[in-house]
Amino acid sequence: MEDKLATIPGLFERLAASSRGLLSRSTTFGRRVFQASRVEVYVLEGEQLQLIESAGRARLKGGSATELLPELRGERGVLFRPADAGERARPLLGAHVPIRLFDGSLAGCYSVFYSARRGRLGAVERRTMREIVAFLAQQIEAVRRIELVQRSTARADVSFEGIAQSSPDAIVAADAHNIILAWNVGAERLFGYTAEEAVGRSLDLIIPPAMRQGHRAGMKRVADDGPTRLIGRAIDLQALRKDGSSVPVELSLSQWMEGSQRRFGAIMRDISERQRLEENLRVAAMLDHLTGLSNRACLDHRLEQVLRSGRRATALLVDLDGFKDVNDTLGHQAGDLVLAEVARRLRSNVHAAHFIARLGGDEFVVLLEDTANPLEGDWLGETLINAIEETIPADGNLVSISASVGIACSYDGCTAETLLGDADLALYKAKRDGRGRTQLFTPDLRHRLVEKGLARTELTTAWAQDQFELYYQPQLFLEDARVCGAEALLRWNHPSRGVISPAAFLPLLETDTLAVSVGDWIIGEACRQAAEWRRTAFPDIRVAVNLFALQFKSGDIVGEVARALERNGLSPDGLEIEITENTILQTDERILRQLKRLRDLGVGLAFDDFGTGYASLSMLRHYPVTKIKIDRSFVSGRDVSDKDQAITRALVQMAEGLGITVTAEGIETPAQHALMRDQGCHVGQGYLYSRPVPAAMFQALPLEAMSGWRVAG
C-alpha cells in the first residue's frame, strides 16, 4: 500500500504539470506591471515556504518570504518589508501577499521586489496582486484536492463517496462502460443535473458531441489495460451543462479497482474565472502599465502581422527632448505624469485606426497602416511635435519639453526590425540637426550606419591587436625654451593604412564603450613613459593626457589614475589631466566631485581649448583647474586680430590673479613664440617645436637648439 501511495505525484509535481506555464506568466507579468526587479511564488509545505517560481535577475540576501512566515500567517493585506539585494544594488522593497485557500488557511505567498524609491504600491497595483493571488489559490486548491482524492482512493479504509461529498469541486465516478455511478453536490452545481438525474446515465451527458467518440475510445482502451496519457494529469477542456451551454473545466482522472470492477474518478472544476484572469494577464502583458498604450511586444506582433500580409506601413518614432531634465530636477513621479500626458496627446492627435505604442523610457511609436506616404508621416510628425510642446502641468510644476520624430516607410521585403531601424536612423539625424523636428529616412542614412558599423568593428580589432599608440608633443617654457612637459596624443597605427588621423576615428571612439578601456590604457601608458623620462632625460617633465567623457560617467577614473601612478612609481605632479570646455560645462556634480578628488591626489588639471565656448571665466571659480590652454585660434593663423591679442592678454592677467598657469597652443613661428611670451604666457606648444612623435623619437628631438628662440624674440 505504501508503494502505491509513493507513486502518487506530490503537490510540486502537480503544480509543475498543470500550472507551470501559468505560474511563469504570472511572475513575468508581475515584473512588468510593478516594474519589479524580482517576483516570486511560494507554496507552504509543512512548516516551510518553498519557492516554486520566480522571474528577475535580482539576487536577494534577505527579506524573502521564507523569513516572514510568522507575520504572513496573520496578514490579510499586503506586507511591505525591505529586501537586501547586496551592497552595490539599489535598495529594494518587498510586497508580500499571503495566498489563502477557501477555508482561510495559508497556502503560500506571492512576493514582488522593486525599487524602494517607489514606496508602497498603489491601489491599482494592489488589486492586481490580489487577482493574481486568487488565481494562485485556485491552482493550489485544485492540486491539493486532486492529491487528497488520489491518496484516499489508494487506501482501502476510505470510500470515494466520503471524499466526494466533502469537496466543493465536481467529482464524478463511472464504470468501464461509461455509466455514471456517483455524482456529488459539486457536480450538481457545476452541470445543473441532480444526482437522481445523472446517476445511471452515460457520461455523454456532460461531454460535447464533438468529443464523445474520442472519449468512448479512450475509455475502452483503458478498460482493456491499454496505455493512457490522462490518468494522473490535469487537462483543460469544455464540458456540457444541462441548459446546453458549455463550460471550461480542469479535469483530473484517476482509476481504481473495486473487487474485479474497474472504476474511474473525475474531479472537475470551473475554470472560467481562471481563463478570464489569464486573458487579463495576456492583455496586460501587451500593454504599457504607465500610459495604457501598447508596449514593445505588442508593437512587434502588430507590425509583423501587417508586413507579413503584404500591407504597407509608415512608422513614426517619437523621442522626447529634454525629458531627462524633468526626471533629474522634478523627480520620477513628475516624469511619469509627463509621460502619461504625452500618451494622451498622442491619442488625441492620431486617428483611431492608427496604432500607438510606448517602446520604453521616453520613446513612442505611431504606426500608420495601409499607407507608405512620407508626406503624410511628416505632416503627422509636425502635428505631434506641436501638441507635445504645449506646457504640461506635472506635480505642481509647468513642464516644457519638445520631441524629435524619425519617419520611415515600408517597402517590398521590409521587416519589422528594418522599418523601426530606419525610423531610428532618421530620429538620430533629427536630434543631431537640432531636435524639435521631423526627419524622413533616406537610404544614405543606412549607408552611413554600415560605414559606422564597419568602423566600430575595426576599432575593436585595433584594440585587440594593440594597434593604438601614444605620440607626444613637447611643451616648453617660453622664457628659456626648456622642455617642461609633453601632451600624450592617441594614434591608430593601422597595419595597411599606416597612421590614421585622429579626426577620422576619435569622434567615433569617444561615443563607444571601448573609450573607457582605451582611456584607462592611455593613463597607464602615459604614467609609465613619464616615469621613465623622469629617471633619464627629463627629471621634471609632466605628461598631459586627454580623457573621454565616458570615463567620467562609466569608469572609476580617480581609482584608475591612483593605481597607474602607484604602479609606475610616478609622483602625482608628473601627470596632468586635460579636460575640454564641453565636458566641464555639463555642470555634472559627479564630474566636479571626481575632478576635486583628482586634484586632491596632486594631479594637475588643464582646461583645454580655453576661450572657444561659453561661461569659461565663471567656471574657473568653481573647478580646481591648475592650467588653462589658450586655443590656437587666438594664437596662430591669418585671421588673428588685435582683438584676439587683447583677449589673450586679459586671459593671462586673469589666470595670474587666480594662480593658474597659461599654455599657448598652436605656436608655429618664432614671432608667435615671442608674442605669447611677451603677453605673459608661461608655456608654449605647437609645430614650431615639434609635431607629435612616438616616444622613441621624442627624446631624440634637437630640443636644445630651441633655446635660440629665446634670443630670436
Side-chain angles (χ1 to χ4, degrees), residues 236-429:
D236 295 346
L237 45 75
Q238 293 291 319
L240 198 62
R241 283 188 169 125
K242 182 177 181 178
D243 61 7
S245 63
S246 62
V247 56
V249 298
E250 181 183 76
L251 168 70
S252 182
L253 288 175
S254 58
Q255 63 174 323
W256 67 96
M257 300 297 293
E258 288 186 5
S260 61
Q261 301 296 314
R262 191 183 299 274
R263 298 287 185 260
F264 296 94
I267 303 175
M268 291 169 281
R269 65 185 340 225
D270 185 350
I271 58 173
S272 302
E273 184 63 19
R274 192 191 81 184
Q275 289 189 348
R276 183 195 66 79
L277 178 60
E278 288 179 26
E279 178 61 18
N280 289 346
L281 291 176
R282 187 192 68 79
V283 172
M286 302 294 276
L287 290 178
D288 175 63
H289 183 63
L290 176 63
T291 63
L293 299 176
S294 299
N295 61 14
R296 178 60 186 263
C298 187
L299 170 67
D300 290 342
H301 179 71
R302 180 72 167 258
L303 192 50
E304 197 68 42
Q305 283 185 322
V306 171
L307 296 179
R308 188 178 298 166
S309 64
R311 297 158 58 197
R312 296 296 189 187
T314 300
L316 282 73
L317 183 55
V318 182
D319 185 272
L320 303 184
D321 300 328
F323 179 73
K324 181 179 182 298
D325 294 336
V326 177
N327 275 338
D328 291 345
T329 58
L330 302 180
H332 289 277
Q333 181 173 342
D336 288 349
L337 293 174
V338 170
L339 292 174
E341 175 60 19
V342 168
R344 189 195 66 77
R345 294 183 184 185
L346 291 178
R347 290 193 196 94
S348 299
N349 289 275
V350 172
H351 192 277
H354 298 324
F355 182 84
I356 312 173
R358 180 189 176 205
L359 290 189
D362 59 348
E363 280 193 331
F364 300 83
V365 169
V366 177
L367 186 64
L368 312 184
E369 300 178 9
D370 300 314
T371 179
N373 187 338
L375 295 181
E376 182 180 353
D378 184 64
W379 176 85
L380 179 57
E382 293 290 348
T383 301
L384 296 179
I385 290 174
N386 291 337
I388 292 170
E389 286 181 341
E390 294 181 10
T391 304
I392 300 174
D395 226 10
N397 299 278
L398 293 178
V399 175
S400 295
I401 58 173
S402 184
S404 300
V405 181
I407 304 162
C409 298
S410 67
Y411 51 87
D412 291 340
C414 179
T415 65
E417 182 180 4
T418 301
L419 182 61
L420 293 178
D422 290 348
D424 190 45
L425 286 174
L427 175 64
Y428 175 78
K429 188 174 189 305

Side-chain angles (χ1 to χ4, degrees), residues 168-207:
D169 296 325
I171 299 182
V172 178
D175 63 14
H177 303 291
N178 211 32
I179 300 301
I180 298 173
L181 303 177
W183 186 270
N184 76 339
V185 175
E188 291 182 342
R189 287 195 299 267
L190 180 60
F191 297 110
Y193 295 99
T194 64
E196 290 76 11
E197 292 174 311
V199 173
R201 299 177 64 179
S202 170
L203 270 177
D204 289 352
L205 186 72
I206 58 173
I207 299 174

Side-chain angles (χ1 to χ4, degrees), residues 77-258:
V78 183
L79 187 65
F80 291 95
R81 291 292 183 272
D84 183 4
E87 294 181 359
R88 294 191 175 183
R90 293 179 178 177
L92 297 180
L93 191 65
H96 310 274
V97 180
I99 303 171
R100 298 191 180 279
L101 301 182
F102 299 134
D103 60 3
S105 62
L106 183 68
C109 179
Y110 184 77
S111 299
V112 176
F113 301 91
Y114 58 93
S115 172
R117 291 188 304 176
R118 294 189 58 205
R120 300 199 172 192
L121 299 176
V124 174
E125 294 162 320
R126 295 190 193 197
R127 184 175 68 248
T128 303
M129 287 190 75
R130 287 195 295 271
E131 287 190 0
I132 294 175
V133 165
F135 152 68
L136 295 173
Q138 291 175 3
Q139 293 300 106
I140 295 172
E141 182 85 26
V143 169
R144 286 189 186 278
R145 290 191 177 280
I146 291 170
E147 185 179 16
L148 175 62
V149 170
Q150 286 204 328
R151 287 184 179 276
S152 299
T153 54
R155 298 202 308 264
D157 58 338
V158 180
S159 69
F160 178 86
E161 289 77 7
I163 295 296
Q165 294 308 315
S166 65
S167 173
D169 296 325
I171 299 182
V172 178
D175 63 14
H177 303 291
N178 211 32
I179 300 301
I180 298 173
L181 303 177
W183 186 270
N184 76 339
V185 175
E188 291 182 342
R189 287 195 299 267
L190 180 60
F191 297 110
Y193 295 99
T194 64
E196 290 76 11
E197 292 174 311
V199 173
R201 299 177 64 179
S202 170
L203 270 177
D204 289 352
L205 186 72
I206 58 173
I207 299 174
M211 300 173 58
R212 287 171 183 169
Q213 184 174 354
H215 169 74
R216 291 169 186 159
M219 290 284 286
K220 184 177 186 306
R221 183 170 59 251
V222 175
D224 294 339
D225 292 325
T228 176
R229 296 192 300 267
L230 298 183
I231 301 298
R233 293 181 57 206
I235 60 171
D236 295 346
L237 45 75
Q238 293 291 319
L240 198 62
R241 283 188 169 125
K242 182 177 181 178
D243 61 7
S245 63
S246 62
V247 56
V249 298
E250 181 183 76
L251 168 70
S252 182
L253 288 175
S254 58
Q255 63 174 323
W256 67 96
M257 300 297 293
E258 288 186 5

Side-chain angles (χ1 to χ4, degrees), residues 461-694:
T461 302
W463 173 243
Q465 297 181 1
D466 298 325
Q467 294 174 13
F468 290 125
E469 184 179 357
L470 286 187
Y471 278 37
Y472 298 87
Q473 187 173 33
Q475 298 172 340
L476 283 73
F477 286 123
L478 293 181
E479 184 61 32
D480 57 10
R482 286 185 301 109
V483 175
C484 61
E487 181 178 2
L489 298 162
L490 183 65
R491 294 294 184 265
W492 180 1
N493 200 340
H494 195 279
S496 60
R497 286 180 277 176
V499 179
I500 298 176
S501 167
F505 71 90
L506 277 182
L508 185 62
L509 176 59
E510 65 187 8
T511 62
D512 194 280
T513 54
L514 189 62
V516 176
S517 298
V518 175
D520 291 346
W521 171 80
I522 291 173
I523 293 171
E525 179 62 15
C527 287
R528 185 198 64 77
Q529 188 61 64
E532 180 181 323
W533 278 335
R534 283 195 162 198
R535 290 191 299 268
T536 56
F538 308 107
D540 298 320
I541 197 170
R542 170 182 283 182
V543 175
V545 298
N546 296 274
L547 297 185
F548 296 111
L550 281 177
Q551 288 178 271
F552 285 105
K553 297 178 180 179
S554 305
D556 175 21
I557 185 62
V558 179
E560 188 60 36
V561 167
R563 288 188 291 271
L565 292 171
E566 182 179 2
R567 186 168 60 248
N568 294 284
L570 179 66
S571 173
D573 64 0
L575 179 67
E576 186 172 79
I577 303 295
E578 293 193 1
I579 51 177
T580 64
E581 192 167 4
N582 287 336
T583 299
I584 204 170
L585 289 179
Q586 293 179 15
T587 63
D588 189 325
E589 285 297 321
R590 291 178 303 167
I591 295 177
L592 178 57
R593 286 196 299 270
Q594 291 176 89
L595 290 176
K596 288 180 177 178
R597 290 174 61 196
L598 287 171
R599 189 69 195 102
D600 290 341
L601 286 177
V603 173
L605 296 177
F607 201 161
D608 199 12
D609 300 332
F610 189 82
T612 58
Y614 308 95
S616 301
L617 302 181
S618 64
M619 298 304 285
L620 290 179
R621 297 166 52 199
H622 305 291
Y623 284 79
V625 175
T626 57
K627 178 190 288 185
I628 60 173
K629 299 183 72 175
I630 298 177
D631 187 70
R632 68 182 62 250
S633 63
F634 293 93
V635 177
S636 59
R638 295 180 179 179
D639 55 349
V640 175
S641 64
D642 292 341
K643 289 183 178 180
D644 292 323
Q645 295 180 20
I647 291 173
T648 302
R649 284 193 299 270
L651 292 177
V652 172
Q653 293 174 5
M654 176 206 66
E656 287 182 349
L658 295 173
I660 298 173
T661 60
V662 180
T663 295
E665 292 189 289
I667 295 178
E668 298 178 355
T669 67
Q672 292 167 359
H673 170 103
L675 178 62
M676 291 298 105
R677 180 197 62 198
D678 294 344
Q679 288 189 337
C681 285
H682 310 96
V683 178
Q685 177 180 343
Y687 287 173
L688 173 63
Y689 317 120
S690 172
R691 291 177 177 271
V693 295

Side-chain angles (χ1 to χ4, degrees), residues 21-43:
L22 299 176
L23 292 173
S24 177
R25 283 202 295 275
S26 75
T27 51
T28 301
F29 167 76
R31 286 198 68 205
R32 291 175 177 172
V33 169
F34 307 118
Q35 301 176 0
S37 297
R38 186 174 179 86
V39 175
E40 299 176 340
V41 177
Y42 294 83
V43 168

